[in-house]
Amino acid sequence: MKVTFISTVPASGLARAALQLKKEFGLSLELKVYYPRQIDEEQVKDDVVFQDLRSSDAVFVDIRGSGRSIDLVYRALKDERNIVINLMAPVGKMMEITRLGSFRGKSLAGKIRDDEARDPEEVWKKISRAESLVQTAGRLVPLGPVRDAGNYVRFARYWRYGGEKNYRNLLMLLLKDYLNCDLPRPSEPEPFPEFGIYHPRYGYFQELKDYTCASGHDSSRPTIGIIFYGNMHFEQCQPVLKALIEEFEGYNKIPVFSDGIHNLRAMRRFFFDEGDPVLDALINLTWFRLNGGPLGGDPSLTRQLLRDLNVPVFTPACMYSRKIDEWKMSDTGLSPIESIMAVIWPELDGSVEPIPCCGVRDVSVGELEAHEVAAIEERVRKIASRIKSWIRLKHKDNSEKRV
């Protein structure tokens, strides 16, 4: 059996889940992973990708935006008969070629028009409502197109929520229901909260007061807020989050995760106490603008929140898809796409100091060469040092400041 992923997310967790299943159940499973950037920048040969896509029993596709990768995958698979599952929003060319049993993605591809994608929270609600209806119908009538449509939603949710447990269950559902493997029934997708507090040492919290009690918050010390991705991107944020927490030893830290759509709600809930701001500085580890992620939202809401917060916002440039070694050898540094998403768009919200803080490195998981995100330690130290200097300057008397 051969399963191929075109994945925007570094695939080390997926590879570990596949390796565990192979060992546990004695499966003959070949897992192939390509990254859209590899295809877009012609780092892999088109004919090799074509062959792997067409010879796969199932192909899962997570491609964001536009580029060569969408056209290549579309051309390779549009006339084939293997399973194809679009893992992102049910729109566009990847949804048109989605096929799972008797379910065809064309039935959902036109449900959200391009001119509707203006309010990210409303689009998200519409997608969630449609998915819930389809998944419920699939459970109540587990036959034919209805069952397959319900399973399509399960696959999308396993991927969106992320983590090795969800990846394991995604693969088990595919293998059991569509590739004739004798496996236990997988559990339902394990949701990830839209937002919350997470500290590697103290765990998850949904209330600020619970977290400050557990973490030994000291109101006499400066407080650093950190906002980073939850859901499928949670794991890739952990290396730089942990590095920053270490660098700010002795400071209060409030690390907040968000799905990217609900950033402003998360910030309003956890960076204020009874309406009063509690931060001395904010570090943003997400791409795009703060309100709504890639869909964007009303910038006036962001301006109002940041005006109320009244602290500098630092957005280190996170290279979630570029290899650190490639970046070091490059004459240009960040790619044009990274410059737009990690520098220019955040600067429109008033963010400063886009110093690269993390990138991708190769890691071997069994026979598969996967990617994982790693912090660039010397850059993280520099970022932390500069933020500490900003905070010291804030608390200095004006008579002691040099201009």
Side-chain angles (χ1 to χ4, degrees), residues 41-283:
E41 298 183 5
E42 301 183 54
Q43 297 178 5
V44 290
K45 294 181 178 179
D46 287 0
D47 57 346
V48 174
V49 181
F50 257 77
Q51 177 59 31
D52 278 329
L53 292 174
R54 289 177 170 174
S55 62
S56 294
D57 296 287
V59 178
F60 291 86
V61 184
D62 169 5
I63 301 177
R64 327 283 174 86
S66 59
R68 292 184 70 253
S69 53
I70 287 182
D71 293 332
L72 184 146
V73 173
Y74 183 82
R75 285 186 286 111
L77 295 175
K78 64 184 179 69
D79 297 321
E80 299 298 307
R81 300 174 63 86
N82 52 356
I83 293 169
V84 180
I85 300 174
N86 172 41
L87 294 168
M88 301 311 294
V91 295
K93 295 174 75 172
M94 295 301 96
M95 199 62 195
E96 291 176 10
I97 61 172
T98 291
R99 48 185 179 262
L100 178 67
S102 52
F103 170 73
R104 294 296 180 268
K106 290 181 180 180
S107 62
L108 288 180
K111 298 298 183 183
I112 298 177
R113 304 188 309 272
D114 290 341
D115 62 356
E116 288 182 300
R118 294 293 181 266
D119 184 331
E121 291 201 23
E122 284 304 313
V123 171
W124 183 251
K125 288 178 184 176
K126 185 167 184 176
I127 292 172
S128 297
R129 284 194 298 267
E131 285 185 345
S132 296
L133 288 171
V134 170
Q135 188 172 18
T136 300
R139 284 198 297 265
L140 295 176
V141 188
L143 299 170
V146 179
R147 182 204 70 158
D148 294 330
N151 281 343
Y152 159 72
V153 171
R154 288 186 184 90
F155 284 125
R157 288 186 169 178
Y158 284 132
W159 187 255
R160 182 188 309 145
Y161 297 145
E164 283 188 41
K165 184 175 181 180
N166 280 320
Y167 296 148
R168 173 188 170 90
N169 285 319
L170 179 153
L171 292 170
M172 287 180 68
L173 178 61
L174 172 73
L175 295 169
K176 179 178 178 61
D177 280 16
Y178 297 96
L179 299 184
N180 302 314
C181 293
D182 183 15
L183 297 176
R185 171 63 53 187
S187 58
E188 290 295 309
E190 190 170 284
F192 207 101
E194 291 176 343
F195 50 78
I197 296 175
Y198 172 77
H199 190 292
R201 188 180 306 159
Y202 307 112
Y204 295 89
F205 299 85
Q206 283 297 318
E207 298 295 335
L208 178 60
K209 281 185 168 54
D210 293 341
Y211 170 73
T212 55
C213 289
S215 61
H217 186 93
D218 184 346
S219 59
S220 68
R221 296 176 177 176
T223 300
I224 309 295
I226 306 173
I227 187 162
F228 61 99
Y229 285 116
N231 276 345
M232 69 179 75
H233 298 295
F234 179 82
E235 289 185 2
Q236 68 194 76
C237 292
Q238 294 309 296
V240 70
L241 173 66
K242 292 175 182 177
L244 285 168
I245 286 174
E246 289 180 6
E247 290 296 328
F248 283 103
E249 188 68 33
Y251 288 66
N252 300 315
K253 283 86 63 177
I254 305 178
V256 172
F257 64 85
S258 168
D259 58 9
I261 303 297
H262 299 90
N263 289 345
L264 299 191
R265 288 193 191 184
M267 293 166 66
R268 184 68 72 176
R269 179 167 179 174
F270 298 117
F271 295 152
F272 294 82
D273 185 10
E274 297 182 354
D276 295 323
V278 297
L279 302 186
D280 292 278
L282 171 61
I283 303 173

